[in-house]
Each structure stands twice: as C-alpha cells, then as structure tokens.
C-alpha cells in the first residue's frame, strides 16, 4: 500500500445506531485516491460490524477499507493505537464511529497541510450536536482569529482550554505521532496532544487552523463523555483528575510557565470539588475505582479550604468535617445518604 497518502482510523464499539452515518460520510469524501480507512472493531457485541461490512460491500469508490478486530474489548485508546500501528498513510486522521464529517473535510485539511511544510498538523472548528441542536464547540473563536500558530502557542491555548484538545477534528503528519494514546484511561486526547506537542516546543513548527468546521461531534447518552457518574463504572472524571495530576507534575518538573500550571490547578480543583457528592454517595466507586477514590480523598484533605473554587463554597463545612474528624468520609457519607434517601 505504498500509494496511500491518508489513513483514516475509526474505532468501533457498539455503535449500531450511528455507524452507517459515520461510514457514509467517509465514503462521500471528495478525496478518494490514496486513502485507506481502517475500522478497528473493539470486540463489539451488537450489529455495528455487520452493518459496516454490508455498507462497505456495496461501496464502489476508491477508498480502501480494512477491518481489524480485537478479541476482547480494550478501549478507545487501544483501538486507535491498533489503527496507527497498521496505517500506511503519510497523514493520519481519526473519526469516532458515532460522529460524521463533511464531504470536503479531508480534501481541505490535506491541502492545508500540503501547503505548509513546517506544519505538524491542521485543526478545524467543531460542530457540536446535542438534543437535536447544532452549535459550535468551545474554542471556535481561535479559528477565526488565527490561520497558523506555533506548536507552543497551540500548546498554551489548549492547556488553558481556550481551544479544543480533541484528536478527531485534525489531520496529522504520521511523523508527529511520537507518543501514542494512553491506554486504559479516558480523556486520552488531552494527554495525546500534550506529549506530542510538548516534544516540539521551541522547534518553530506550526499548527494550521482551518476556518470552516467539518466535524460533527455527537453528544448522546451512550458516549464516553456522557457516562453517568452515579453508575460507578469507569467514571470519566477520575481519569480527568489523573491526567491533571500527571500534567501538572510534568510541567513543574520542566519548570514551565507558572501561569499555565496555575490555570491547570484551578481546572483540577474545579473538577475535584464538582464531583464531591458523586464520590461521597456512590458506594460502587469503592469497588470499581478503589485507588481513585483513595487518591480523591487525599486530594480533598490536602488542598486548603481557601482554595475551594467559588462555585463550590457550599462544600466548606463538609470538607472541614472530612479534614479534621477521624473517619470523617465514612460518617459524612452515612449522614448524607440518610438525607438523600
């Protein structure tokens, strides 16, 4: 497959309601020649793969489709990494299987990357679809203000949540992907961009920003970002907290700009306190995420009362109780459970 210029990687796991829209949007791309689409079946147990194979069998275009399969469910990051390892293209793009894209997306992003030799990737604004309504995802303004950024400028913006840190509204040079996705952890896009951009700080390499949005990001009940914390299963916020800890520690180690570290610390504390009652009242977490729960309460005890985010000041009494009363977490959990019930 030496003639492949672009590899599109689609992880698939139980998305039978969305997979056909996703694949049709790939098949309808105006860029057809030199394109492969790698579908990674992460051990789906619904009709996702049957539907995709039926659609592919009737496709008559030039895009080359391949399907790889994990024998057991390994998660989104593992599926993307499997696709990267198997890819033949000079450029790599990701599309999540419950989303879809505009017909000109990869033609336009490829053109922008071709025309900017010192750019490592191109990023585009995002359509967010929720409850039948379409809006722009956060960071849209940056795409209207800038056509190019240095890697470090982009790095600072996404760390401060002023531009998106998604992996799938972008097109990368394969050589940029020196660090793969962190496996068995959610919020994986954040770490993926962090480490790959960090490695190129000071090089003068660029990120191209497209003006137009091409990617339709669907937010629905079954998506990873919508996992209900009350289920106690693989709660996303625990992974977000873990990623913040890792990045803050890494930035301190390299003595990066204190303003950025402080901004991340504020984001960390906001997520920590926002999920206070979820952790306090959900007994399942102690079973499914025992280590995360232990670290969670250590963080609560470690952070001074004065640093509780203004939006969470109502938690001050509870936090004081946990800090200074022996077995405070257990006692407060019992009291709150009686009130709630």
């Amino acid at each position: 497959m030496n003639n492949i210029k672009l590899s599109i990687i689609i992880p698939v796991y139980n998305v039978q309601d969305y997979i056909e829209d996703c694949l049709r949007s790939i098949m309808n791309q105006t860029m057809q020649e030199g394109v492969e689409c790698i579908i990674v079946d992460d051990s789906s147990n619904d009709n996702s793969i049957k539907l995709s194979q039926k659609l592919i069998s009737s496709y008559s275009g030039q895009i080359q489709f391949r399907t790889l399969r994990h024998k057991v469910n390994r998660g989104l990051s593992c599926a993307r990494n499997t696709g990267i390892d198997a890819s033949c293209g000079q450029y790599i793009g990701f599309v999540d299987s419950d989303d879809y894209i505009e017909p000109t997306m990869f033609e336009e992003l490829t053109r922008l990357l071709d025309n900017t030799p010192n750019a490592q990737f191109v990023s585009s604004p995002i359509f967010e679809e929720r409850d039948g309504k379409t809006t722009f995802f956060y960071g849209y303004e940056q795409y209207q203000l800038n056509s190019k950024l240095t890697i470090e400028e982009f790095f600072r913006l996404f760390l401060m949540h002023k531009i998106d840190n998604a992996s799938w509204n972008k097109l990368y040079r394969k050589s940029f992907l020196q660090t793969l996705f962190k496996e068995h952890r959610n919020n994986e896009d954040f770490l993926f961009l962090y480490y790959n951009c960090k490695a190129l700080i000071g090089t003068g390499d660029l990120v191209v920003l497209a003006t137009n949005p091409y990617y339709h990001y669907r937010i629905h009940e079954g998506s990873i970002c919508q996992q209900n914390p009350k289920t106690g299963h693989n709660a996303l916020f625990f992974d977000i907290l873990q990623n913040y800890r890792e990045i803050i520690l890494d930035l301190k180690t390299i003595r990066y700009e204190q303003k950025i570290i402080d901004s991340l610390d504020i984001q960390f504390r906001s997520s920590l306190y926002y999920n206070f009652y979820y952790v306090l009242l959900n007994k399942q977490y102690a079973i499914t995420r025992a280590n995360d729960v232990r670290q969670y309460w250590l963080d609560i005890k470690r952070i001074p009362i004065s640093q509780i985010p203004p939006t969470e000041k109502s938690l001050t009494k509870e936090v004081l109780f946990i800090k200074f009363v022996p077995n405070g977490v257990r006692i407060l959990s019992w009291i709150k459970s009686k009130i709630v019930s």
Side-chain angles (χ1 to χ4, degrees):
M1 292 191 179
N2 295 329
N3 62 333
I4 297 298
K5 182 170 186 175
L6 166 64
S7 298
I8 304 169
I9 297 168
I10 306 179
V12 175
Y13 179 70
N14 291 357
V15 285
Q16 62 183 15
D17 293 337
Y18 306 100
I19 188 64
E20 291 177 295
D21 286 346
C22 176
L23 289 181
R24 284 194 183 96
S25 74
I26 302 296
M27 294 173 179
N28 290 333
Q29 288 297 293
T30 53
M31 180 178 178
Q32 295 269 318
E33 187 176 353
V35 180
E36 67 172 355
C37 180
I38 303 173
I39 298 168
V40 183
D41 173 18
D42 195 25
S43 196
S44 297
N45 53 34
D46 68 353
N47 288 320
S48 298
I49 299 304
K50 288 183 179 179
L51 291 170
S52 68
Q53 293 302 324
K54 182 178 180 181
L55 197 58
I56 291 169
S57 66
S58 63
Y59 169 69
S60 58
Q62 293 178 275
I63 297 174
Q64 301 176 38
F65 284 86
R66 289 191 281 156
T67 301
L68 309 177
R69 177 173 171 77
H70 288 166
K71 293 181 179 179
V72 295
N73 179 247
R74 295 168 55 193
L76 178 60
S77 292
C78 294
R80 285 179 179 163
N81 290 343
T82 294
I84 293 170
D85 288 342
S87 65
C88 300
Q90 304 168 42
Y91 297 166
I92 303 290
F94 303 99
V95 179
D96 281 358
S97 50
D98 49 357
D99 299 330
Y100 64 101
I101 60 177
E102 291 290 310
T104 59
M105 175 171 168
F106 283 114
E107 180 181 9
E108 292 296 326
L109 299 191
T110 297
R111 179 182 59 79
L112 289 170
L113 206 49
D114 281 344
N115 291 341
T116 317
N118 58 336
Q120 291 294 329
F121 63 93
V122 55
S123 187
S124 61
I126 302 167
F127 288 119
E128 178 182 306
E129 298 189 1
R130 185 197 300 260
D131 299 327
K133 298 179 180 178
T134 299
T135 57
F136 291 121
F137 200 57
Y138 79 89
Y140 174 77
E141 297 79 8
Q142 293 295 334
Y143 291 94
Q144 310 311 307
L145 292 171
N146 304 284
S147 60
K148 296 175 185 176
L149 296 169
T150 65
I151 288 282
E152 185 163 9
E153 287 171 335
F154 182 86
F155 184 75
R156 295 178 80 259
L157 285 172
F158 91 74
L159 286 179
M160 297 179 75
H161 282 269
K162 292 185 177 180
I163 196 168
D164 66 85
N165 55 41
S167 63
W168 26 253
N169 60 322
K170 299 171 174 63
L171 183 64
Y172 310 90
R173 296 189 192 277
K174 190 173 185 179
S175 57
F176 171 71
L177 310 183
Q178 296 301 304
T179 299
L180 299 184
F181 290 93
K182 187 88 169 186
E183 299 192 350
H184 311 299
R185 193 189 299 181
N186 289 313
N187 194 222
E188 63 286 330
D189 291 11
F190 196 30
L191 286 180
F192 172 77
L193 276 177
Y194 174 80
Y195 285 114
N196 283 302
C197 287
K198 176 194 165 189
L200 295 175
I201 288 175
T203 62
D205 286 352
L206 300 177
V207 178
V208 179
L209 300 186
T211 303
N212 298 323
Y214 302 102
Y215 195 98
H216 293 260
Y217 170 45
R218 281 174 161 163
I219 298 179
H220 56 90
E221 188 175 342
S223 61
I224 290 175
C225 69
Q226 293 299 296
Q227 290 180 90
N228 184 350
K230 296 181 181 179
T231 65
H233 176 65
N234 201 25
L236 179 61
F237 70 85
F238 281 129
D239 295 311
I240 292 173
L241 293 175
Q242 191 172 355
N243 290 344
Y244 277 134
R245 292 187 198 102
E246 181 175 327
I247 288 175
I248 289 170
L249 178 60
D250 188 61
L251 289 174
K252 287 180 178 178
T253 301
I254 65 172
R255 297 183 179 180
Y256 197 69
E257 185 179 344
Q258 190 62 43
K259 177 183 176 182
I260 303 297
I261 296 173
D262 291 343
S263 173
L264 285 166
D265 193 52
I266 291 170
Q267 296 169 38
F268 170 76
R269 284 184 274 119
S270 295
S271 185
L272 186 78
Y273 283 100
Y274 179 78
N275 292 288
F276 183 90
Y277 288 122
Y278 291 144
V279 183
L280 184 72
L281 297 175
N282 195 311
K283 305 301 182 185
Q284 281 295 103
Y285 283 156
I287 299 170
T288 60
R289 301 295 292 255
N291 290 334
D292 292 307
V293 168
R294 192 176 301 111
Q295 183 61 54
Y296 180 90
W297 294 119
L298 287 174
D299 286 332
I300 290 289
K301 292 177 181 180
R302 173 181 59 84
I303 295 175
I305 293 293
S306 61
Q307 291 186 14
I308 295 179
T311 54
E312 308 296 342
K313 285 296 184 183
S314 61
L315 295 174
T316 300
K317 291 180 180 179
E318 283 88 344
V319 173
L320 282 169
F321 191 86
I322 286 171
K323 279 180 176 289
F324 299 112
V325 175
N327 296 312
V329 173
R330 186 177 301 174
I331 295 169
L332 186 61
S333 175
W334 182 84
I335 293 170
K336 290 291 183 181
S337 66
K338 296 301 178 184
I339 295 173
V340 172
S341 59

